[in-house]
Amino acid sequence: MTHHKTDYAIIHAEILAGSQPHTIHEGGILVAQGKIQEIFPDSQQAAAQAQKLGLEIIDAQGAYLGPGLIDMHIHGCGGTDTGQEDLQTALETMAQFMSQRGITSFQPAVFPSVEVMAKAQAALEASPMAAYHVCSIYNEGPFIAPEKKGGLPAESLRPFTADYMAQLLSFRHPATGRPLLGTMTVAPELEGADTAWEMAKEAGARLAWGHSAAYADGLPRRQCVHLTHLFNAMNGIDHRRPGLAIVPFLRHYQDATYELIADTVHVNQLTMEFLIHTLGTNRLCLISDAMAAAGMGPGESVYLGRQVICDGKVSRYKEGNILIGSAMLIHDTGRQLVEAGLLDVADFFRIASVNPARVLGLTDRGAVEVGHRADLVLLDKELKVQAVFVGRKD
C-alpha cells in the first residue's frame, strides 16, 4: 500500500539510516511537511514527540525502514512504456505502479531524440505528480555503435554533432531546473565522444559509456566514468583483449560506477557473484532496464511497433528472439541477491537507493537522513514490500 502522507511518525522500525546504511534497532522517525525531521534511536522518544505534536503514529512492528528505491534506467512497467504516444499518462502510470513496489524515484529511458525530450518536458510540466517521481530522463543513445545496439531501434542512431547534443541538453526539469537529460549512453570509440563528454559535464548531465564495440586498451583516461548495464551491449572480459566490461576492475577507473541488471538472464548468477565479491557494492547501481511487461508476468506486448514476448523474467522481440529488456523490477532482483547470499540488507539499500542517488546528483533523496524527502519503504524480514510512503499528497 502506498501512503501519500506529509506529517506522521513511524516507530518500532529497523531503520537503515544514512548514506552508508547502518541499522538503528527499534528506532523511530518524525516526518513533517513531507521531509524527515528527526531520527530517534528509541521508539518511545519518537512516540512521545509525535503525541506532543498531535501526529499520526505508525507502528512498523519490527519491519525494515529504508529510503524509497531509485531505478535510474527503466523503459516501462505495468503495461506501459516510454514509447507510448501519450507520454504523460505513461509516466504517471509507471510512477504509480512502481510506488506500490517501493520504487519512489526513477529515470525513464526514452527513444533518444530532441522531439521526445520536448515531449518529456511538456509531460512533466503538465503533471506535478510525474515530475515528483521522475528525477531526469535517460537517453540510451543516439550516439552508440550500430553493432552493439542490442534491442534499440536502428532508426534511433545518428552520428554525433555538437548542435544536436546541445539541443538534447537544452531541456530543463520543471521541478528542479536541472538538465532534463540526466544520463546519456555514448560509445566512447565514436567520433565526437570526447566532445559529448565535455558538453555533458559542463551542462551538469551524466555521460555513460555503453552500447560500445570498444576495447579497454583504446579507451581515454577519464574520471567518474559510468557504465550502462555492465556486461550487456559491450565487449566482455576476454583474457587476450578485454572490452569495456573490464573498466570497473582497472586501477585507472577506481571511481567508475556501473549499472547491473540482476534478473540472472542479462547477467549470469556466477558473474554477479564474481562482480560483487571482487568489487563490493559501493559503486554498483541496481537497475531494471525493464519493459512494459515488467511486473505483469508472462505474456505478449508491443514496443515501438514490434511484437514482444515476455517469460516473466525478460522481454524479447518475437522476431529474432532479441533480448531487449528485463521483466523484473529492482525490488525483486535486489531481494533475490539477498536471498542468494550476495548482499545484506544494508547493501540492498546501497545499490538500489544510495548509489543511484549519488550518481544522479540527487541530494534530497536516496537515504534516511534528516532533511531528505520522506520517500520511504517498509520491508518485512523477507524484504517484501509492506508499505510505501511518498512525501507529497497526490
Side-chain angles (χ1 to χ4, degrees):
M1 178 181 292
T2 303
H3 302 279
H4 295 89
K5 299 176 181 290
T6 57
D7 301 271
Y8 60 94
I10 299 177
I11 62 173
H12 299 138
E14 298 291 289
I15 303 174
L16 277 298
S19 57
Q20 291 294 328
H22 59 280
T23 304
I24 299 175
H25 300 287
E26 276 291 301
I29 68 166
L30 191 71
V31 173
Q33 297 182 332
K35 293 186 177 182
I36 299 171
Q37 298 296 318
E38 195 165 357
I39 302 171
F40 298 89
D42 180 84
S43 282
Q44 290 184 345
Q45 295 176 11
Q49 183 67 7
Q51 289 172 348
K52 181 179 178 181
L53 297 173
L55 297 178
E56 176 186 3
I57 298 175
I58 299 165
D59 191 340
Q61 298 181 341
Y64 294 116
L65 176 64
L69 309 185
I70 301 171
D71 191 340
M72 64 178 290
H73 187 161
I74 180 169
H75 297 264
C77 62
T80 192
D81 59 56
T82 58
Q84 301 295 319
E85 182 63 28
D86 185 351
L87 185 55
Q88 178 183 335
T89 298
L91 294 176
E92 290 173 344
T93 300
M94 289 170 64
Q96 291 170 349
F97 191 84
M98 282 190 275
S99 290
Q100 295 169 7
R101 290 150 182 83
I103 305 161
T104 55
S105 292
F106 66 104
Q107 187 176 233
V110 303
F111 190 90
S113 72
V114 169
E115 293 74 20
V116 172
M117 289 297 290
K119 184 189 290 189
Q121 180 173 297
L124 298 183
E125 287 173 344
S127 175
M129 186 275 275
Y132 181 88
H133 293 280
V134 173
C135 50
S136 47
I137 300 294
Y138 202 123
N139 274 202
E140 202 168 352
F143 315 126
I144 59 174
E147 63 270 40
K148 292 292 185 179
K149 67 180 179 61
L152 299 176
E155 59 268 25
S156 71
L157 278 57
R158 61 186 296 145
F160 173 82
T161 67
D163 178 68
Y164 201 79
M165 183 74 178
Q167 290 182 66
L168 292 171
L169 289 167
S170 68
F171 298 96
R172 287 289 181 266
H173 194 296
T176 66
R178 297 177 54 184
L180 185 57
L181 176 58
T183 307
M184 174 189 240
T185 304
V186 171
E189 71 274 20
L190 297 186
E191 184 176 352
D194 289 342
T195 303
W197 179 284
E198 296 301 331
M199 291 179 70
K201 182 179 179 181
E202 183 177 352
R206 191 65 182 259
L207 190 141
W209 285 348
H211 286 279
S212 163
Y215 291 95
D217 56 11
L219 294 173
R221 298 284 177 86
R222 292 285 188 184
Q223 291 183 324
C224 300
V225 167
H226 183 72
L227 295 176
T228 299
H229 44 52
L230 183 65
F231 301 117
N232 297 115
M234 62 181 65
N235 292 327
I237 306 180
D238 181 84
H239 68 291
R240 295 191 184 276
R241 195 180 184 196
L244 196 60
I246 204 170
V247 163
F249 300 89
L250 301 178
R251 68 180 184 275
H252 299 298
Y253 302 99
Q254 290 182 354
D255 60 356
T257 53
Y258 45 92
E259 303 165 4
L260 179 69
I261 310 170
D263 56 24
T264 72
V265 177
H266 279 83
V267 181
N268 180 272
Q269 182 84 5
L270 293 176
T271 304
M272 291 192 289
E273 180 177 341
F274 164 72
L275 174 70
I276 293 171
H277 176 72
T278 305
L279 297 183
T281 58
N282 285 331
R283 296 184 285 145
L284 192 161
C285 298
L286 186 65
I287 66 165
S288 66
D289 195 25
M291 310 301 291
M296 305 291 285
E300 295 194 12
S301 59
V302 176
Y303 182 63
L304 298 176
R306 299 178 64 179
Q307 201 70 21
V308 173
I309 55 174
C310 171
D311 63 4
K313 274 194 169 185
V314 296
S315 294
R316 302 176 186 269
Y317 283 133
K318 193 170 187 177
E319 181 182 355
N321 201 37
I322 299 171
L323 182 64
I324 61 169
S326 184
M328 299 180 69
L329 297 176
I330 59 174
H331 74 294
D332 282 327
T333 56
R335 185 177 68 248
Q336 286 185 171
L337 290 172
V338 175
E339 291 172 349
L342 301 184
L343 304 177
D344 59 22
V345 178
D347 288 324
F348 173 90
F349 284 108
R350 184 176 291 112
I351 70 173
S353 299
V354 175
N355 293 349
R358 185 179 77 246
V359 169
L360 294 175
L362 303 174
T363 59
D364 63 346
R365 70 197 82 174
V368 180
E369 292 186 341
V370 171
H372 276 212
R373 290 180 4 173
D375 295 341
L376 304 164
V377 59
L378 278 177
L379 304 177
D380 65 18
K381 297 306 179 183
E382 285 73 44
L383 298 190
K384 294 181 180 179
V385 176
Q386 283 193 323
V388 182
F389 300 86
V390 176
R392 73 178 299 271
K393 290 185 177 181
D394 286 330

